[in-house]
Amino acid sequence: MSEAVQVHSLLSDFDVQLFRAGRHYKLYEKFGSQEIRVHGVQGVYFAVWAPNAQQVSVIGNFNGWNPHAHQLHVRWDSSGIWEGFIPKLKNGEVYKYHIHTNQGERLEKADPFALHAEIPPSTASVVATTYYEWTDSEWQFNRREHNALDRPYSVYEMHLGSWMRDPKQPDRLLSYTEIAERLIPYIQETGFTHVEFMPVMEHPYYPSWGYQITGYFAASSRYGSPQELMGLIDALHQSNIGVILDWVPSHFPGDAHGLHRFDGTHLYEHEDPRKGFHPDWQSYIFNYGRNEVKSFLISNAFFWLERYHIDGLRVDAVASMLYLDYSRKAGEWIPNEFGGNENLEAVSFLKEMNEAIYKYFPHRQTIAEESTSWSGVSRATFDNGLGFGMKWMMGWMHDTLAYFQEDPINRSYHHDKMTFAGVYAFTENFMLPLSHDEVVYGKQSLIYKMPGDEWQKFANLRALYLYMFTFSGAKLLFMGGEFGQTSEWNVNQSLDWHLLKFKPHAGLKKFISDLNAVYKGYPALYEKAFSPEGLNWIEMGDRANSVFVYSRKGHDEDNDLLIILNLTPVVRRNFRIGAPHAGSWELLLNSDEQKYQGSGIAVKKKVQAESTYWMNQKQSILLDIPPLGGLILKRTR
């Protein structure tokens, strides 16, 4: 057994003051378990917040899980912080906090600030370090070039455990290191600029996809150590690939070892279930009005940005945070002080969080998954916005998928679903998502959402992707969509990589690679992605032919692009298109080419604009438009 707990603190009075004021953003430097040296002796310092505790002990294998052996000391300042130094403990030690509450309960809790945890279903914390020798200094120096809002932003959303597995051991999860070996060449081949990992924080229930977190500071041990995750991120950065993490400050599960009733009271969550319990997910809602909870959450955001060098946080379920009546019936929620349904404490928290992140971590992005018409989600806080960098454009996703699911013969009656997004496209900095939520729970895979026979399904999906990548906003595609995964996403198994043996799937993947190359290579598609000046509708009313025409613009009009979509299976011969400029227009990308398994209808590689007024343009061109296809033309002189 190790020696008794010694009185020691890493917390200054100022630390405690900031913590209690909700303004301490680096609690991970002070709380949790920290391997340090005190008076020349190596050991571990522990600090935990449990204001309702009579006594807090550290229990583990080192003391036979005896709650009387290593009792922490409560601070004198009424902060509710318990701390102490246990000599001779080292990294790798398994532990929990034994909390004897004022009501007489005895709880065993994982450390809210633990940097590592046992592999589930075991639930103890593990003393660990986040020391790692990074080699991504070039990426960090050039981070603005990768992450700014006027740069290409093409995101590959993925779940680490079900992206790929070893065919010889399909039930085994690949490690962070094994994923790096496979993922980096794949992202380089397909051309995405960023990957987005669904939550990597520790979670006890694997089918929650990571959205029910118990270890907010712990990289999931299912895939390896903190250093192995850092190695994955480091390698991605060295390959010029950005990393976004899903983050869940909206709710947490009620597992006995987690944050729920941490010290026998509703410490992290609201006590009243009308504010503290989430009916959709059977989970618990953070108390954003409690300063210590704000310090905890903002510190957690800082932790991933600082210690793991990530480029952005995609914040989950923001709508559930903003509305007090979210998924609640009358009488099941409490209005705010003004009688409204806005969660003013959550609004204040989100503003403060975003202000702090953009102040201390410039050239990173926060991205809101927010599904309502809340105004100013991605506008600056000084302009009464929430301060996010971007917002998922859920309306675009639902309308676009609804349109493409229609049989082409009916599309003329649903024409507005394709153009309506233009009405509000610039009210926020929108990211266009085709996310994991659209390919589970009976919604079918993207390829099977498309109507028609096999050829038409693939043609439709290629046209949808061309529309997505040429419309205003950043892009996000869930794994498997790039090659036409046929089955719905299943968290318990790998994607169906064998499909790439078949030409339609391989052709779709090749198309995505070429589409990403065009997107990254032509500034008109990203320099004004969030400005109405960057998109000009030329034809948005041709219901009879289901033809759409628009141009994309950057800072230099010489780089302007012309996009043409024909969303019926009928070839449009000698079709006249309004052109925004005189001169020649050269074919840049054709979704119907044979190399993508398209029909290969001949399309002129270069056309000369004529002085014929058409579609409200002074110039126009004549060309054949392939069936269920899209064309991108670039201006040439």
Side-chain angles (χ1 to χ4, degrees):
M1 182 179 292
S2 59
E3 299 177 19
V5 178
Q6 297 180 10
V7 176
H8 188 77
S9 183
L10 294 181
L11 291 155
S12 68
D13 291 346
F14 188 52
D15 283 324
V16 174
Q17 181 181 338
L18 287 175
F19 172 54
R20 301 179 75 175
R23 295 300 177 93
H24 201 308
Y25 302 151
K26 290 193 174 185
L27 292 178
Y28 48 91
E29 296 179 345
K30 308 287 183 174
F31 278 77
S33 56
Q34 314 267 351
E35 189 179 25
I36 61 172
R37 187 177 293 273
V38 176
H39 303 308
V41 178
Q42 198 76 14
V44 176
Y45 165 79
F46 294 90
V48 63
W49 178 50
N52 185 52
Q54 279 190 47
Q55 184 58 58
V56 177
S57 314
V58 183
I59 55 175
N61 292 332
F62 63 93
N63 63 11
W65 301 87
N66 179 0
H68 305 292
H70 291 92
Q71 297 183 352
L72 297 178
H73 306 282
V74 66
R75 286 182 65 90
W76 56 270
D77 52 16
S78 303
S79 62
I81 297 170
W82 298 77
E83 58 187 347
F85 175 74
I86 304 180
K88 299 181 181 179
L89 290 191
K90 297 180 179 179
N91 284 332
E93 199 69 61
V94 173
Y95 72 99
K96 281 186 177 180
Y97 293 120
H98 181 278
I99 300 175
H100 184 191
T101 74
N102 283 329
Q103 289 73 37
E105 292 181 88
R106 296 182 182 273
L107 309 173
E108 292 187 1
K109 292 288 187 176
D111 189 342
F113 286 89
L115 302 178
H116 200 42
E118 288 186 300
I119 299 174
S122 298
T123 58
S125 301
V126 179
V127 179
T129 177
T130 53
Y131 175 78
Y132 177 83
E133 293 188 7
W134 289 87
T135 57
D136 66 344
S137 56
E138 184 176 350
W139 172 273
Q140 293 201 73
F141 183 77
N142 296 313
R143 190 170 246 135
R144 190 222 172 273
E145 289 301 305
H146 301 292
N147 294 331
L149 294 178
D150 60 354
R151 304 302 298 165
Y153 224 90
S154 171
V155 181
Y156 185 69
E157 184 194 24
M158 59 181 293
H159 178 264
L160 289 175
S162 56
W163 175 68
M164 184 181 290
R165 296 191 182 182
D166 184 346
K168 297 177 182 177
Q169 299 175 281
D171 293 331
R172 182 181 73 86
L173 301 179
L174 297 181
S175 69
Y176 294 118
T177 303
E178 290 173 310
I179 290 168
E181 294 168 354
R182 295 159 173 79
L183 178 63
I184 290 168
Y186 187 75
I187 297 299
Q188 289 175 321
E189 179 187 0
T190 49
F192 292 92
T193 65
H194 295 70
V195 293
E196 178 179 319
F197 296 147
M198 294 167 70
V200 300
M201 302 81 182
E202 197 58 82
H203 51 285
Y205 185 54
Y206 184 69
S208 76
W209 309 339
Y211 292 101
Q212 297 276 10
I213 297 171
T214 50
Y216 273 79
F217 291 83
S220 179
S221 57
R222 289 179 173 91
Y223 312 108
S225 68
Q227 286 70 27
E228 287 176 302
L229 175 56
M230 292 174 184
L232 168 58
I233 296 168
D234 197 5
L236 284 162
H237 281 171
Q238 290 180 59
S239 302
N240 286 323
I241 301 164
V243 182
I244 304 163
L245 295 186
D246 276 12
W247 185 53
V248 192
S250 46
H251 63 109
F252 58 88
D255 294 71
H257 69 285
L259 296 178
H260 177 52
R261 297 189 70 252
F262 185 79
D263 65 353
T265 66
H266 298 278
L267 191 61
Y268 288 89
E269 70 273 23
H270 280 281
E271 182 175 4
D272 191 319
R274 292 174 295 176
K275 294 183 74 174
F277 183 72
H278 204 298
D280 283 358
W281 303 308
Q282 301 294 296
S283 55
Y284 296 88
I285 301 169
F286 282 104
N287 182 349
Y288 307 107
R290 191 161 197 169
N291 286 335
E292 294 89 344
V293 173
K294 286 171 62 177
S295 287
F296 172 83
L297 287 172
I298 298 178
S299 289
N300 188 240
F302 272 44
F303 172 79
W304 293 103
L305 292 162
E306 180 186 49
R307 295 282 178 90
Y308 283 83
H309 288 202
I310 64 163
D311 299 283
L313 292 167
R314 177 266 194 189
V315 183
D316 185 62
V318 172
S320 73
M321 299 170 66
L322 293 174
Y323 296 97
L324 295 165
D325 60 346
Y326 186 89
S327 284
R328 298 177 189 275
K329 300 174 184 176
E332 294 178 349
W333 59 283
I334 305 172
N336 63 33
E337 60 186 293
F338 303 108
N341 66 341
E342 302 88 357
N343 188 334
L344 302 179
E345 294 169 344
V347 171
S348 176
F349 160 72
L350 290 170
K351 287 182 175 182
E352 183 176 336
M353 176 201 77
N354 281 315
E355 287 173 354
I357 287 174
Y358 282 103
K359 177 179 178 181
Y360 291 102
F361 299 96
H363 313 314
R364 318 285 178 104
Q365 296 294 342
T366 58
I367 305 161
E369 190 254 323
E370 202 284 315
S371 55
T372 75
S373 57
W374 186 283
S375 178
V377 172
S378 60
R379 295 293 177 254
T381 56
F382 62 74
D383 197 25
N384 204 33
L386 294 181
F388 285 93
M390 285 181 268
K391 170 182 171 174
W392 274 21
M393 197 176 188
M394 311 292 275
W396 173 90
M397 178 177 69
H398 293 139
D399 287 349
T400 300
L401 289 176
Y403 177 89
F404 273 88
Q405 285 177 281
E406 290 289 341
D407 188 294
I409 200 170
N410 297 323
R411 285 178 176 170
S412 62
Y413 304 107
H414 301 274
H415 198 78
D416 293 344
K417 281 187 167 63
M418 285 284 284
T419 58
F420 181 65
V423 174
Y424 62 93
F426 306 105
T427 58
E428 301 277 2
N429 297 335
F430 279 120
M431 174 176 280
L432 312 183
L434 292 174
S435 74
H436 65 274
D437 277 327
E438 299 311 304
V439 293
V440 290
Y441 299 146
K443 294 181 183 179
Q444 297 184 303
S445 62
L446 289 179
I447 190 67
Y448 279 174
K449 291 179 190 288
M450 302 295 107
D453 59 20
E454 182 185 70
W455 185 89
Q456 289 185 335
K457 287 181 187 299
F458 279 92
N460 270 303
L461 194 53
R462 291 192 302 271
L464 166 56
Y465 289 158
L466 188 141
Y467 168 56
M468 172 185 180
F469 274 77
T470 57
F471 195 71
S472 296
K475 328 296 174 187
L476 178 138
L477 181 62
F478 183 57
M479 64 181 196
E482 76 279 9
F483 64 80
Q485 167 87 6
T486 52
S487 59
E488 284 189 337
W489 172 49
N490 183 344
V491 74
N492 292 310
Q493 65 186 46
S494 168
L495 295 180
D496 294 328
W497 294 103
H498 66 276
L499 293 174
L500 286 168
K501 297 177 182 177
F502 302 101
K503 289 182 179 180
H505 296 276
L508 180 60
K509 177 170 166 270
K510 169 63 176 169
F511 177 68
I512 282 290
S513 298
D514 291 352
L515 186 57
N516 264 319
V518 169
Y519 172 61
K520 294 187 295 185
Y522 289 86
L525 293 175
Y526 58 77
E527 284 183 340
K528 296 182 179 180
F530 307 108
S531 166
E533 297 174 356
L535 173 71
N536 177 39
W537 279 102
I538 293 173
E539 177 57 81
M540 58 189 306
D542 190 353
R543 295 174 177 272
N545 294 307
S546 296
V547 168
F548 302 84
V549 183
Y550 51 94
S551 65
R552 289 298 309 276
K553 301 171 180 292
H555 298 313
D556 185 348
E557 68 176 18
D558 287 344
N559 296 327
D560 286 3
L561 299 179
L562 182 63
I563 294 91
I564 303 159
L565 296 170
N566 171 21
L567 300 181
T568 68
V570 179
V571 182
R572 304 296 174 187
R573 300 286 185 183
N574 287 316
F575 202 88
R576 187 170 291 278
I577 300 290
H581 298 289
S584 296
W585 290 87
E586 183 179 334
L587 183 63
L588 191 58
L589 189 67
N590 174 5
S591 71
D592 187 56
E593 285 193 42
Q594 286 184 334
K595 64 181 176 180
Y596 309 132
Q597 298 301 299
S599 69
I601 296 294
V603 178
K604 293 178 182 178
K605 299 297 183 185
K606 199 169 189 178
V607 291
Q608 186 72 28
E610 306 169 358
S611 297
T612 301
Y613 188 84
W614 203 257
M615 296 179 179
N616 295 317
Q617 307 296 310
K618 294 180 180 179
Q619 306 286 327
S620 59
I621 58 176
L622 278 175
L623 76 170
D624 295 339
I625 314 176
L628 294 174
L631 306 174
I632 305 175
L633 286 75
K634 67 175 181 177
R635 185 185 182 195
T636 60
R637 289 188 178 274

